[in-house]
Amino acid sequence: MQSSKHRSPLFSFSARDFAVTAGILACAVELCVILSIADSIDGFAYPIFVLAVLLVSRLTTGYIFGILAALFSVIGINYIFTYPYWAFNFTLSGYPLTFLTMLCVSLITCTMTTKLKQQERIRAESEKEKMRANLLRSVSHDIRTPLTSIVGVTSTLLETPNLPVAEQRQLLEDARDEAQWLIRVVENLLSITRIGDARAQITKQPEVVEEILGEVVQKFRKRFPDVSIRVAAPNDLLFVPMDAILIEQVLSNLLENAVIHGETTTNILLSVHQDGKYACFSVQDNGKGIPPKELPTLFDGSMKRNETPAGDGKRNMGLGLSVCMAIVRAHSGTMEAKNMGAGAEFSFLLPLSEEEPK
């Protein structure tokens, strides 16, 4: 049942495919009419309708509309654009060959298109499975260390009730920090699961980017009061279609990475500006930058724990950045990272008009 659910129907009917077919054939007829007025020589309709059949077969799903386009084209050429005009003449020389040629073009193109779509779907499913495997590997490392720490703290407090108040407070603060880390990991997992579900669609609403930046900065300053953060935004209000919660999560992940993985980061610049048809968000820091060997795989979640400082499960930024990339792509945007003269810059573009996810 599951496999049939995802199988591309070979003879499916949809309003969208019908509209595409009707539009292409109408354009072909109109072009032939114009050419017939300009030139009385017969024969121009055949290549035009062959092209129309090819386009219909390529742009629709399955075989039905390609075959219908081939039938319509043969009839149209015979009835409208071949002498005697506006009359059928099945005794015309080459008529059976014309019909068979167009039918073969339709079937071959439909077959190739269907196979290409199936291969693309298989490739997308393979990439999704790879991403899930990377996420599971990343999460197993990210969760293990905080849980171990929380268990150790609670065990210490239970087994040594006479600890000084200052030490108890420090242990409880450590446990709280680890629990907050786990909450952020779970939030990332929920986001990537939501985006990875083919049935789920993100809801984009025009949002004022200054308000989004304000929310993110407010939360960041509570968590990292010792890090200076500046905000640069356009003087005029900039509205961007987005899922505000998901984009806030992207910015929060990038700001957190700038502090934790920059190691020596003391200043961060969070900016947004309009770049043509896109809004460009940027997070720049003055930290240690990104190791060059990690740049090619920075966003695919494949970074391993042993690639980061030993003993610190939080050092794995693969999960957070893969979530950021997934969210940005779901918004039809792009994302990149690069090293600056001092520190690193993470930036992403979001379209200013509504678009379907890529």
Side-chain angles (χ1 to χ4, degrees), residues 137-138 140-142 144-145 293-294 302-318:
R137 182 173 62 250
S138 184
S140 66
H141 294 310
D142 283 348
R144 184 182 304 162
T145 299
K293 68 177 182 178
E294 294 179 0
S302 62
M303 294 175 60
K304 299 178 181 178
R305 183 168 176 243
N306 58 12
E307 294 172 348
T308 56
D312 188 356
K314 298 179 182 179
R315 305 310 299 175
N316 189 347
M317 60 179 163

Side-chain angles (χ1 to χ4, degrees), residues 326-348:
I327 292 174
V328 170
R329 284 179 174 172
H331 283 76
S332 302
T334 59
M335 190 173 191
E336 65 177 3
K338 61 182 178 181
N339 284 314
M340 309 292 289
E345 178 186 16
F346 288 82
S347 61
F348 61 92

Side-chain angles (χ1 to χ4, degrees), residues 280-302:
C280 179
F281 295 78
S282 172
V283 175
Q284 301 179 31
D285 64 72
N286 65 341
K288 296 181 65 175
I290 307 168
K293 68 177 182 178
E294 294 179 0
L295 282 171
T297 58
L298 202 58
F299 296 104
D300 62 7
S302 62

Side-chain angles (χ1 to χ4, degrees), residues 209-210 213 231-239 271-274 279-280:
V209 293
E210 289 84 352
L213 299 186
V231 178
N235 294 327
D236 298 329
L237 290 180
L238 180 61
F239 290 86
S271 64
V272 62
H273 67 273
Q274 184 172 349
C280 179

Side-chain angles (χ1 to χ4, degrees), residues 77-125:
I77 292 173
N78 184 287
Y79 186 72
I80 304 175
F81 301 107
T82 303
Y83 183 85
Y85 302 110
W86 302 105
F88 286 109
N89 187 352
F90 295 101
T91 63
L92 289 174
S93 175
Y95 181 84
L97 180 60
T98 300
F99 174 81
L100 291 176
T101 299
M102 286 195 168
L103 189 59
C104 289
V105 168
S106 172
L107 293 175
I108 292 173
T109 305
C110 290
T111 302
M112 293 178 61
T113 301
T114 302
K115 289 184 177 179
L116 287 175
K117 290 179 180 179
Q118 289 175 343
Q119 291 175 357
E120 180 64 22
R121 184 166 55 254
I122 293 173
R123 184 189 65 81
E125 292 177 354

Side-chain angles (χ1 to χ4, degrees), residues 116-182:
L116 287 175
K117 290 179 180 179
Q118 289 175 343
Q119 291 175 357
E120 180 64 22
R121 184 166 55 254
I122 293 173
R123 184 189 65 81
E125 292 177 354
S126 177
E127 290 183 354
K128 185 181 295 184
E129 290 299 323
K130 180 181 177 181
M131 182 186 69
R132 288 174 179 171
N134 289 334
L135 286 176
L136 287 175
R137 182 173 62 250
S138 184
V139 169
S140 66
H141 294 310
D142 283 348
I143 290 181
R144 184 182 304 162
T145 299
L147 284 177
T148 302
S149 178
I150 292 173
V151 171
V153 167
T154 53
S155 298
T156 300
L157 291 174
L158 289 173
E159 294 172 1
T160 54
N162 297 325
L163 278 176
V165 175
E167 293 186 16
Q168 292 183 18
R169 180 178 180 83
Q170 183 60 50
L171 289 173
L172 290 173
E173 288 179 350
D174 292 341
R176 180 196 60 189
D177 293 341
E178 300 292 353
Q180 289 177 341
W181 174 264
L182 286 175

